[in-house]
Amino acid sequence: MHSRTNGQTVTTNPLAFEVTHRLVLSIAIPMTLGFMTTPLLGLTNTAVVGHMGIAEALAGLAIGAMLFDLIFGSFNFLRASTTGLTAQAYGRRDTREQQAIFWRALILSFGCGAALLILSPLLLRAGLALMGAEAAVADATATYFSIRILAGPAALANYAILGFVLGRGQGALGLLLQSIINGINIALSIYLGLHLGWGVAGVAWGTAAGETAGMLAGLFLVIRRFDASQRPTRAEIFSRHRLAALFALNRDILIRTFVLIGSFTLMTRIGTGFGAVTLAANAVLMNFFLLAGYYLDGLANAAEQITGRAIGALYRPAFERGLKLTLLWSFGLAAAGSLFFLLAGPWLISVLTTAPDVRQAAETYLPWAAATGLTGALAFLMDGVFIGATWSADMRNRMLMSFLGYLAALAVFVPLFGNHGLWLAMNAFLFFRGIFLAMLLKKRTDQTFRSAQ
């Protein structure tokens, strides 16, 4: 669109929007709060089963929860791809395509969930073999797994629903849905597991109920806001072109996720070679990285929505402003977080473990853990930008490059510096992830917005 100002032609974009600190934080803060309910849930479930006084039950719960983290974490592409595609359609103000994206993602989620149900006996056997669980521990894991997997389709549908909500910048609604899922889970786990004495089964039913309730609430809140006059046809939902793009996007993000999971698994595996005390210290310190990840993920979600919306609107000023503000907040909070962990780290370590030797070891390696927020800030942010832009092939390729750099760092630094080298390699991996994507940013941005000029 063109207009005349003082005799000059000025190009305006009817889809333009302003990016402010308030917009960034309206997405980042609710999602950070939502993410922080997850460890509270884990602590509650552990406490419920721990009160049974049966070590095998607690070990079985831990193994079962880890298996679900691995399985469901692999399907995070359902959330990420839905956010990016929805944000771009939102930026174009294409209401019809937004609805079509939602239904495609939901159908794919139910399909993946049904596949998990069918394959669940095989997945359980493989998980028990992988973790070496036997006897009473294996029985507890099987009980937890067999119940919780029933809500697999609902859990994956929640990924799609959350992705759609975030793509539209509705951070408060995302927090509400996360609160419903985790709130019901916590309440029912306590009631069923402790009050009724169901133990591990009670925790599993509480989790399944929370996922199901969250899905039903999400479907109700999302679908009731749809404009019936913009309802997509079946042909539009199942468009071969759109489905091919969706599957390619999901494939790339899935590969990237597997590599990421593998990198942390490798760190744990190498850490076992340094003995039980060092391994326990590393596990304690990883909580600091996870805590930093909550607010960095929240800002990454903001970057996803703003980036995708700006690309959908073909409005580069919003893209660049969003990048600038999310970068500012990410590194500002990362620096503050690192300083906090350095100062309060010894106290936090004493809260997490009472073992004197583990405390001493953890304090020795504390600076490396405190640094992960800073070295990982750019990685989280670039992931958000590239997800919102749906530049998934670049994410996949640069993650593979980063992993190769990580392997090289492990090969060099671990033999030289032991566990210090292991933490150095992890920080290097986080740095590689961010810088390798950032190196591509200008080129991809120029290519994407060239059509708007």
Side-chain angles (χ1 to χ4, degrees):
M1 180 181 296
H2 302 280
S3 60
R4 303 287 297 184
T5 302
N6 296 328
Q8 295 182 335
T9 300
V10 178
T11 301
T12 60
N13 186 337
L15 302 178
F17 63 99
E18 184 181 5
V19 179
T20 63
H21 289 283
R22 182 175 181 177
L23 175 61
V24 171
L25 297 179
S26 70
I27 302 172
I29 291 177
M31 293 317 303
T32 298
L33 294 175
F35 294 144
M36 291 182 73
T37 62
T38 300
L40 177 62
L41 170 62
L43 289 171
T44 300
N45 290 346
T46 299
V48 167
V49 176
H51 274 77
M52 296 171 59
I54 304 174
E56 292 81 2
L58 190 57
L61 171 68
I63 292 174
M66 186 167 62
L67 290 177
F68 276 100
D69 286 343
L70 179 62
I71 293 170
F72 287 161
S74 301
F75 286 92
N76 188 55
F77 62 83
L78 294 168
R79 203 279 308 160
S81 63
T82 306
T83 297
L85 294 171
T86 301
Q88 292 184 20
Y90 183 72
R92 296 192 302 270
R93 298 181 189 170
D94 188 345
T95 305
R96 196 178 191 89
E97 179 59 16
Q98 288 177 55
Q99 292 189 34
I101 290 168
F102 175 79
W103 292 118
R104 286 187 208 112
L106 195 64
I107 292 168
L108 179 59
S109 298
F110 282 136
C112 291
L116 287 180
L117 280 177
I118 294 171
L119 296 173
S120 60
L122 294 176
L123 292 172
L124 176 59
R125 283 200 293 271
L128 292 175
L130 178 67
M131 301 307 299
E134 297 178 353
V137 174
D139 289 341
T141 300
T143 297
Y144 179 83
F145 187 96
S146 300
I147 295 171
R148 186 175 172 184
I149 196 66
L150 297 175
L156 297 187
N158 285 326
Y159 282 10
I161 294 168
L162 181 61
F164 180 80
V165 166
L166 289 179
R168 291 176 52 83
Q170 298 169 317
L173 179 54
L175 172 59
L176 173 62
L177 294 177
Q178 290 293 103
S179 299
I180 290 173
I181 293 170
N182 292 335
I184 290 177
N185 190 336
I186 290 171
L188 282 181
S189 293
I190 293 173
Y191 178 73
L192 298 175
L194 279 181
H195 185 71
L196 297 186
W198 292 8
V200 172
V203 168
W205 281 116
T207 304
E211 294 285 3
T212 303
M215 179 196 69
L216 294 175
L219 291 175
F220 172 75
L221 292 172
V222 169
I223 295 175
R224 70 191 292 265
R225 302 184 185 190
F226 282 168
D227 183 349
S229 67
Q230 297 294 315
R231 183 181 297 124
T233 64
R234 184 177 301 177
E236 288 173 319
I237 295 174
F238 294 101
S239 163
R240 181 176 297 181
H241 169 70
R242 299 288 190 184
L243 286 174
L246 175 62
F247 282 115
L249 180 60
N250 286 334
R251 176 203 63 211
D252 293 337
I253 298 175
L254 177 61
I255 293 172
R256 172 250 180 205
T257 302
F258 277 149
V259 175
L260 187 60
I261 292 173
S263 68
F264 289 107
T265 303
L266 184 58
M267 181 180 180
T268 302
R269 179 66 185 84
I270 293 175
T272 60
F274 298 127
V277 172
T278 300
L279 181 63
N282 286 349
V284 169
L285 292 174
M286 279 303 293
N287 286 287
F288 296 172
F289 173 64
L290 294 176
L291 286 172
Y294 294 136
Y295 58 76
L296 292 176
D297 252 339
L299 287 161
N301 288 154
E304 290 173 27
Q305 201 278 332
I306 294 170
T307 295
R309 183 180 175 187
I311 288 177
L314 286 177
Y315 187 54
R316 187 165 184 163
F319 182 95
E320 293 177 342
R321 175 70 172 167
L323 178 63
K324 178 181 178 180
L325 294 188
T326 51
L327 188 69
L328 176 66
W329 279 103
S330 292
F331 275 98
L333 289 175
S338 293
L339 180 61
F340 171 77
F341 289 138
L342 280 174
L343 296 177
W347 175 77
L348 291 172
I349 290 170
S350 69
V351 171
L352 293 170
T353 178
T354 58
D357 50 352
V358 176
R359 285 185 182 181
Q360 182 178 0
E363 289 181 21
T364 300
Y365 305 112
L366 173 61
W368 294 112
T372 55
L374 275 174
T375 56
L378 188 61
F380 278 85
L381 180 61
M382 287 296 104
D383 278 351
V385 170
F386 277 68
I387 286 172
T390 60
W391 298 331
S392 60
D394 291 326
M395 289 184 65
R396 177 199 65 205
N397 296 339
R398 296 296 160 132
M399 175 62 81
L400 291 170
M401 289 173 56
S402 301
F403 188 68
L404 290 176
Y406 176 50
L407 293 178
L410 288 171
V412 172
F413 297 131
V414 171
L416 290 175
F417 307 117
N419 198 53
H420 284 288
L422 181 60
W423 277 101
L424 175 57
M426 174 52 64
N427 277 276
F429 175 59
L430 295 172
F431 176 78
F432 291 153
R433 285 176 52 201
I435 202 68
F436 287 166
L437 286 175
M439 290 167 61
L440 271 179
L441 185 59
K442 186 179 186 304
K443 178 182 178 181
R444 291 290 177 261
T445 304
D446 289 342
Q447 291 173 341
T448 299
F449 288 101
R450 188 171 296 142
S451 59
Q453 296 175 352

